[in-house]
Amino acid sequence: MAALQFQLQHNDSQSKARAGKIITDHGEISTPIFMPVGTVGSVKAVTQQQLADDVKAQIILGNTYHLYLRPGLEVLEAAGGLHKFMNWQKPILTDSGGYQVFSLTGTRKLTEEGAIFQSHIDGSKHLFSPEKVIDIQRIIGGDIIMAFDECPPGGSEYDYAKISMELTHRWLDRCFNRFNTTDNKYGYTQNLFPIVQGGTHHELRKISCEYVSSMGATGNAIGGLSVGEPTEKMYEICEFCCNNLPVNRPRYLMGVGTPWNILECIALGVDMFDCVMPTRNGRNAMLFTSNGVINIDNKKWEKDFSAIDEGIVCEISNYYSKAYLRHLIKSKEILGLQIASIHNLAFYLDIVTKARKHISDGDFVQWKNEMSVRWQQRL
Amino acid sequence: MAALQFQLQHNDSQSKARAGKIITDHGEISTPIFMPVGTVGSVKAVTQQQLADDVKAQIILGNTYHLYLRPGLEVLEAAGGLHKFMNWQKPILTDSGGYQVFSLTGTRKLTEEGAIFQSHIDGSKHLFSPEKVIDIQRIIGGDIIMAFDECPPGGSEYDYAKISMELTHRWLDRCFNRFNTTDNKYGYTQNLFPIVQGGTHHELRKISCEYVSSMGATGNAIGGLSVGEPTEKMYEICEFCCNNLPVNRPRYLMGVGTPWNILECIALGVDMFDCVMPTRNGRNAMLFTSNGVINIDNKKWEKDFSAIDEGIVCEISNYYSKAYLRHLIKSKEILGLQIASIHNLAFYLDIVTKARKHISDGDFVQWKNEMSVRWQQRL
């Protein structure tokens, strides 16, 4: 049982892309990697078997805010942690709940101590502080746990972003203090990743990268992006952060994004991604495929009996036709949500698997540029 | 390519139960069998892979009414029939749509010609006649298709039940005329099963059994039961019909029922069952298990980390815990609907598989009596 290790295996000569391997007590993860979001202990509409066999997920994400409210810590602790509760034996990352506290709850109050919020389920009041969020994540038992941060809205002014970042940094100290004085609960080693903030301001991002780097964590995250700023600005700040974070630690860009966003950010040096887009958009009839974006709701697919996507290795994507999936979605059949979710997730995992191969083969940038155009086409 | 064959393999000495084999152009079916209901071209919340591997379904049912409205005959015909549309290569049975016309549609008009009804989706008007229903089922392409009948409400008086039965018999002639003068569309052989009606009246049921038997069909169905009459009456009429239908043809009891209903009706000589109960009740948190009935919503399962059911061979039932499934259902996660549906269906298929074994082993009645008590327990 050991702390997370990161081995760099290939560096792309034409970009900052890299291929590597993360080693955790629940197994290895090939990077770059995409992590399906398992909000409340379930990747929506996908069984753990399908997640392993069809999607080929290597690590999934759990949401601390949701899991804390339901099923709650008592149940999770009695189960022996989230891995056992959901019977998923590969690595899990949990977020800190900060993002949900600031986006999902109606009334909330931010203080130096933490954030007081009301549950979106029953209106009950709760406090998330840096210490509490570490304690909660100790109980949930993710292999990678995240520091509690404030995520300011996209486009925040310098002064607001600075004040927010400084609070995040003070909270970061408290997170690491708590983390370093508490034990792993279930025998395997947990790892705390700090999060860079600072909005769209280079000066603040630089300070935050330095602060985060000084923690000497086993991995580092870039937060506060893809929250409303223009895509080019997102790339710019992502690149800046990658250049100012340790080379020999995995870099996790939180909450990004489309397939072409992921390609670009891999080229900037990001190793880990998560996003609800494949599952959420899938449930809303939007498919990402090897040939472009499909709105499967559209009448043009009514008699298209070709497979959803022959361009990836996924039994579900290869087995069901566009016409059948369209019919299921139009008929509001649950199976439609399952197939669309599994396909989109499998496509995302296929992206990072292929990216990794092209990084090793030395033709990543050329491939990325071609795919980026192709995948953005509206079919 | 040949008409359906039925081979009787074992007759129970202590009951009328029998084990057999149905052979269709899409493969063999071991009887007694339970057929999951795939309403609109999808067994709700279950992939075709899970249906084959986890549920171990050997034949599924499609609803003519639903498929006719959505995706519609043009799409189904272009696909090459329902097997190809949904990519399910084992046998399919389609009902005649009669039951849905009389239960789902608001305004409808019954005439000698057929039934005029309004779509529950868009209010559009349609006519189902015996001829039309055969034509539709030719296009859908089920291996077994059903005659168009009127199903009178449970507890119908003798006079009403007689008039209704006589109409059903006239329609039956028209169904067979149409069936015998039209061809299989897709190369394999379709089989038309007639349906016994007559309410709860022995005299009518006797007439109907004789009429139905005279068709010389490859299999026969018992309709108009489990529509509100007392359970004992249902068993009584079922037994009466089994005794008055050909021995050497499969007997299909439509729309029945609970696990213990199925056990009893196997003992009366029924070979084929279908029912929405496992999927519908599963989606409403009711599980049938080897040890009894579980309302998984109940707080008592909150920290029960034992498998949903160790008593059947199904990866899903053995893999996920009661506490986890309860959490998913409470959180309204789609995965909860999937797991509950797969488990209940796997339980139903396990029932008929075990029944078949006990019929062969010669201890069916003793086993049935024990299981019937055990499975009805509320846990």
Side-chain angles (χ1 to χ4, degrees):
Chain A
M1 304 293 107
L4 181 152
Q5 293 173 55
F6 182 54
Q7 296 174 358
L8 272 172
Q9 297 171 312
H10 291 278
N11 287 291
D12 186 38
S13 59
Q14 295 176 286
S15 75
K16 296 286 177 66
R18 61 245 200 108
K21 188 163 74 172
I22 293 172
I23 303 162
T24 76
D25 285 346
H26 279 100
E28 296 184 2
I29 303 156
S30 298
T31 62
I33 189 68
F34 177 81
M35 306 181 281
V37 180
T39 315
V40 62
S42 151
V43 175
K44 287 191 191 300
V46 185
T47 67
Q48 276 70 301
Q49 284 82 5
Q50 291 167 330
L51 211 47
D53 300 341
D54 296 313
V55 173
K56 302 178 184 69
Q58 298 182 45
I59 172 172
I60 62 171
L61 191 146
N63 286 131
T64 288
Y65 168 86
H66 290 289
L67 291 164
Y68 164 80
L69 293 178
R70 224 167 25 192
L73 301 183
E74 207 186 307
V75 170
L76 286 167
E77 186 158 21
L82 182 59
H83 288 90
K84 288 195 176 161
F85 184 60
M86 65 184 292
N87 209 348
W88 173 257
Q89 296 312 322
K90 297 186 187 190
I92 293 175
L93 179 151
T94 51
D95 66 6
S96 70
Y99 186 80
Q100 281 73 29
V101 165
F102 297 111
S103 64
L104 281 187
T105 62
T107 50
R108 67 194 178 259
K109 198 179 157 201
L110 187 66
T111 67
E112 184 65 31
E113 173 61 12
I116 296 167
F117 63 93
Q118 287 192 292
S119 157
H120 74 288
I121 299 170
D122 62 7
S124 55
K125 273 202 177 173
H126 304 269
L127 167 72
F128 270 9
S129 66
E131 293 79 11
K132 176 123 186 235
V133 158
I134 297 298
D135 294 346
I136 294 170
Q137 290 184 94
R138 284 288 196 198
I139 292 171
I140 298 175
D143 300 274
I144 300 171
I145 69 179
M146 301 302 299
F148 191 56
D149 60 340
E150 197 209 347
C151 179
S156 291
E157 292 298 321
Y158 181 89
D159 289 349
Y160 180 93
K162 181 167 187 282
I163 290 168
S164 168
M165 179 195 76
E166 288 167 350
L167 177 66
T168 289
H169 290 175
R170 291 192 298 277
W171 284 359
L172 187 55
D173 288 340
R174 289 167 57 191
C175 282
F176 269 93
N177 283 340
R178 188 62 149 220
F179 180 72
N180 291 328
T181 55
T182 50
D183 289 329
N184 302 309
K185 281 193 75 72
Y186 307 115
Y188 54 86
T189 307
Q190 295 187 282
N191 299 273
L192 175 59
F193 281 18
I195 303 170
V196 174
Q197 288 288 353
T200 51
H201 310 282
H202 285 235
E203 187 188 325
L204 299 179
R205 287 283 178 177
K206 181 145 182 66
I207 294 169
S208 194
C209 283
E210 282 167 6
Y211 204 88
V212 156
S213 302
S214 75
M215 296 288 140
T218 53
N220 302 292
I222 303 166
L225 289 180
S226 210
V227 290
E229 77 286 358
T231 304
E232 288 310 316
K233 182 57 80 176
M234 186 265 279
Y235 292 150
E236 177 195 315
I237 299 297
C238 175
E239 180 172 23
F240 185 84
C241 292
C242 285
N243 292 342
N244 284 279
L245 283 171
V247 167
N248 58 346
R249 295 282 182 267
R251 304 181 188 122
Y252 163 29
L253 177 59
M254 304 181 79
V256 174
T258 61
W260 41 98
N261 289 161
I262 288 176
L263 285 185
E264 290 307 324
C265 294
I266 289 173
L268 302 175
V270 173
D271 307 295
M272 303 167 71
F273 298 88
D274 81 284
C275 192
V276 294
M277 194 174 270
T279 39
R280 182 177 293 167
N281 291 27
R283 294 197 303 279
N284 288 302
M286 183 179 174
L287 305 182
F288 298 102
T289 79
S290 302
N291 296 311
V293 175
I294 286 178
N295 181 354
I296 199 68
D297 232 356
N298 200 297
K299 191 164 172 69
K300 75 182 285 189
W301 309 112
E302 189 178 33
K303 290 183 203 159
D304 187 327
F305 302 110
S306 66
I308 295 167
D309 195 345
E310 291 280 12
I312 66 171
V313 180
C314 169
E315 189 188 349
I316 297 288
S317 315
N318 304 158
Y319 190 87
Y320 296 102
S321 71
K322 298 179 182 82
Y324 182 61
L325 179 54
R326 175 181 189 270
H327 160 65
L328 295 175
I329 296 273
K330 294 295 279 184
S331 304
K332 304 195 192 308
E333 284 290 313
I334 296 169
L335 182 55
L337 308 179
Q338 296 172 249
I339 293 174
S341 300
I342 292 170
H343 163 70
N344 274 353
L345 285 174
F347 184 70
Y348 269 64
L349 265 295
D350 189 71
I351 292 172
V352 293
T353 303
K354 285 187 177 141
R356 187 176 151 80
K357 182 177 179 306
H358 286 283
I359 292 167
S360 304
D361 291 351
D363 63 352
F364 171 73
V365 170
Q366 184 191 338
W367 172 79
K368 165 183 82 70
N369 292 341
E370 280 173 29
M371 292 307 117
S372 188
V373 172
R374 189 194 291 178
W375 295 346
Q376 291 188 62
Q377 290 180 111
R378 293 264 160 183
L379 297 182
Chain B
M1 303 294 109
L4 181 152
Q5 294 173 54
F6 182 53
Q7 296 174 359
L8 272 172
Q9 296 171 313
H10 291 277
N11 286 292
D12 186 39
S13 59
Q14 296 175 286
S15 76
K16 296 285 178 65
R18 62 245 199 107
K21 187 163 74 172
I22 293 171
I23 303 162
T24 77
D25 285 346
H26 278 101
E28 296 184 2
I29 303 157
S30 299
T31 62
I33 189 68
F34 177 81
M35 306 181 281
V37 179
T39 315
V40 63
S42 150
V43 174
K44 287 191 191 300
V46 185
T47 67
Q48 275 71 302
Q49 285 81 4
Q50 291 167 330
L51 211 47
D53 300 341
D54 297 313
V55 172
K56 301 177 185 70
Q58 298 182 45
I59 172 173
I60 62 171
L61 191 146
N63 287 131
T64 288
Y65 168 86
H66 289 288
L67 290 163
Y68 164 79
L69 292 178
R70 223 166 28 190
L73 301 183
E74 207 187 308
V75 170
L76 286 166
E77 186 158 21
L82 182 58
H83 289 89
K84 287 194 178 163
F85 183 60
M86 65 185 291
N87 210 349
W88 172 257
Q89 295 313 321
K90 297 187 187 188
I92 293 176
L93 180 151
T94 52
D95 65 7
S96 70
Y99 186 81
Q100 281 74 27
V101 165
F102 298 111
S103 65
L104 279 188
T105 62
T107 50
R108 69 198 175 256
K109 198 179 156 200
L110 187 65
T111 68
E112 184 65 30
E113 171 61 12
I116 297 167
F117 63 93
Q118 286 192 293
S119 158
H120 74 288
I121 299 169
D122 62 6
S124 55
K125 273 202 176 172
H126 304 268
L127 167 72
F128 270 9
S129 66
E131 293 80 11
K132 177 126 185 232
V133 158
I134 296 298
D135 293 347
I136 294 171
Q137 291 184 92
R138 284 288 196 198
I139 292 171
I140 298 174
D143 300 274
I144 300 171
I145 70 178
M146 301 302 299
F148 190 55
D149 61 340
E150 197 209 348
C151 180
S156 290
E157 293 299 318
Y158 181 88
D159 289 349
Y160 180 93
K162 182 167 187 283
I163 291 168
S164 169
M165 179 195 76
E166 288 166 351
L167 177 66
T168 289
H169 290 174
R170 290 191 300 277
W171 283 359
L172 186 55
D173 288 339
R174 289 168 57 193
C175 282
F176 269 93
N177 283 340
R178 188 62 149 220
F179 180 72
N180 291 328
T181 54
T182 50
D183 290 328
N184 303 308
K185 281 193 75 74
Y186 307 115
Y188 53 86
T189 305
Q190 295 187 282
N191 298 274
L192 175 60
F193 281 20
I195 303 171
V196 173
Q197 287 288 352
T200 52
H201 311 282
H202 285 235
E203 188 188 326
L204 299 179
R205 286 284 177 175
K206 181 144 182 67
I207 295 168
S208 194
C209 283
E210 282 166 7
Y211 204 89
V212 156
S213 302
S214 74
M215 296 288 139
T218 53
N220 301 292
I222 304 166
L225 289 180
S226 210
V227 290
E229 77 286 359
T231 304
E232 289 310 316
K233 181 58 80 177
M234 186 265 279
Y235 291 151
E236 177 194 315
I237 299 296
C238 176
E239 180 173 21
F240 185 84
C241 291
C242 285
N243 292 342
N244 285 278
L245 284 172
V247 168
N248 58 346
R249 294 283 182 268
R251 304 182 189 122
Y252 163 29
L253 177 59
M254 303 181 79
V256 174
T258 61
W260 40 100
N261 289 161
I262 288 176
L263 286 185
E264 292 306 325
C265 294
I266 290 173
L268 302 175
V270 173
D271 306 295
M272 303 168 71
F273 299 88
D274 81 284
C275 192
V276 294
M277 194 174 269
T279 39
R280 182 177 294 166
N281 290 27
R283 294 197 304 278
N284 288 301
M286 182 177 174
L287 305 182
F288 299 101
T289 79
S290 302
N291 296 311
V293 174
I294 286 178
N295 181 353
I296 199 69
D297 232 356
N298 200 297
K299 192 165 170 70
K300 74 183 286 189
W301 309 111
E302 190 179 32
K303 290 183 203 160
D304 187 327
F305 301 109
S306 65
I308 295 166
D309 195 347
E310 291 280 11
I312 66 171
V313 180
C314 169
E315 189 189 348
I316 296 287
S317 314
N318 305 158
Y319 190 87
Y320 296 101
S321 72
K322 299 179 182 81
Y324 182 61
L325 179 54
R326 175 182 189 269
H327 161 66
L328 295 175
I329 295 273
K330 295 295 279 184
S331 303
K332 304 197 192 310
E333 283 290 313
I334 295 169
L335 182 56
L337 308 179
Q338 296 173 248
I339 293 175
S341 300
I342 293 170
H343 164 70
N344 274 353
L345 285 174
F347 184 70
Y348 269 65
L349 265 294
D350 189 71
I351 292 172
V352 293
T353 303
K354 285 188 177 139
R356 189 176 149 79
K357 183 177 178 306
H358 286 283
I359 293 166
S360 304
D361 292 352
D363 63 352
F364 171 72
V365 170
Q366 185 191 337
W367 173 78
K368 165 183 82 69
N369 292 340
E370 279 173 29
M371 291 308 117
S372 188
V373 173
R374 189 194 291 180
W375 294 346
Q376 290 187 61
Q377 291 180 112
R378 292 266 160 182
L379 297 183

